[in-house]
Amino acid sequence: MTATTRTGPRTGGTTRTAAGTKARATGPARTALPGATAPALVVVAHGSRDPRALSTVRALLGDVRALRPALPVHLGHIELNEPLLPDTLGALGDAAPAVLVPLLLSRGHHVTRDIPEMAGAFPARTRVAAPLGPHPLLVDALHARLLEAGWPSRVPADGAVVLASAGSRDPQSRAGTARTATHLAARLGVPVLPAYASAAAPTVPEAVGALAARGYRRVAVASCFTAPGRFATECAAAAPWIVSAPLATHPAMARLLLHRYDEALRTVGTAARRAAPVP
């Protein structure tokens, strides 16, 4: 496992991203000593122009705080919304350790490059946890949302699901979504075909058409999105039958964030490097 860090000037504006700074070497991160204050949890959301997204993410952070009241919990965005991640890290101070948990559902460029590079621009001791998916808790939330949307308790013979996600050119992201689709299919007992809102194929309409061509007449769309936004809205519009709501504040999501936080502390240990993604 290697560390990916970088430095660079901080700039203003609400669409600042990780682009345009240079990498630098860093030393090992420290592990909190017994009795020491636990590292802060920084939830890293993508950001959205849809105002519902920010309110949903804030509600999710409230659920996390309710589960673990003594843990400092902060929010940082990659772009589009405030607080931006660099501002959150700057406010933590140089000596405050933190674990950055991406509020993203598969590994991709944001997880492997953008977030570690943003973190590397600050002297704070940080670690980047794994994204939320794939994981059984994510499947729990997807399954529950489908049931809420009207998925029948008895498996329909002509039923299938399209797992709609944001999409990425990174093959790691597509592999993670495919694994989530496989686990959801095992849970539901019907085919689940991954599809994407951008940057990858098939699209949701294409996946719906492919399943219909195979004889599946009741095709549901499972929204693999953390919050409402443009992609979630566009994918929902392509659903020929039922469509589930974004995962948002389903109880499994807060538990999953804390699981990734704890996992990062266990896995990285004293040999971890600052801002290194957990495999």
Side-chain angles (χ1 to χ4, degrees), residues 72-211:
V73 178
H74 305 277
L75 174 62
H77 291 92
I78 297 171
E79 60 180 359
L80 299 175
N81 291 124
E82 294 180 347
L84 292 167
L85 179 57
D87 297 327
T88 298
L89 293 175
L92 286 177
D94 296 352
V99 175
L100 280 55
V101 181
L103 189 60
L104 301 169
L105 303 179
S106 63
R107 187 177 295 277
H109 188 81
H110 289 317
V111 175
T112 60
R113 293 293 300 276
D114 289 344
I115 296 173
E117 288 177 359
M118 284 183 181
F122 294 85
R125 294 166 289 153
T126 58
R127 307 163 186 178
V128 181
L132 300 187
H135 193 275
L137 284 170
L138 178 58
V139 177
D140 287 348
L142 288 164
H143 185 207
R145 289 293 191 232
L146 279 170
L147 293 176
E148 292 169 0
W151 184 262
S153 56
R154 179 176 296 180
V155 177
D158 60 348
V161 172
V162 171
L163 180 65
S165 66
S168 170
R169 293 182 178 87
D170 192 318
Q172 295 183 86
S173 176
R174 294 193 297 274
T177 302
R179 286 179 58 194
T180 298
T182 298
H183 296 320
L184 183 59
R187 179 77 61 89
L188 294 171
V190 300
V192 176
L193 185 61
Y196 307 96
S198 69
T203 65
V204 172
E206 289 169 345
V208 169
L211 289 168

Side-chain angles (χ1 to χ4, degrees), residues 226-254:
T226 55
R230 179 170 65 89
F231 285 166
T233 300
E234 290 175 353
C235 291
W241 182 37
I242 62 173
V243 58
S244 62
L247 303 173
T249 52
H250 185 275
M253 297 297 286

Side-chain angles (χ1 to χ4, degrees), residues 7 19 35 38-39 41 50 52-53 60 77 83 109 160-161 164 166-167 171 177 208 217 228 243 249 251 257 265:
T7 59
L41 164 59
D50 190 319
R52 296 173 298 170
L60 176 58
H77 291 92
H109 188 81
V161 172
T177 302
V208 169
R217 296 292 174 257
V243 58
T249 52
L257 281 168
L265 292 181

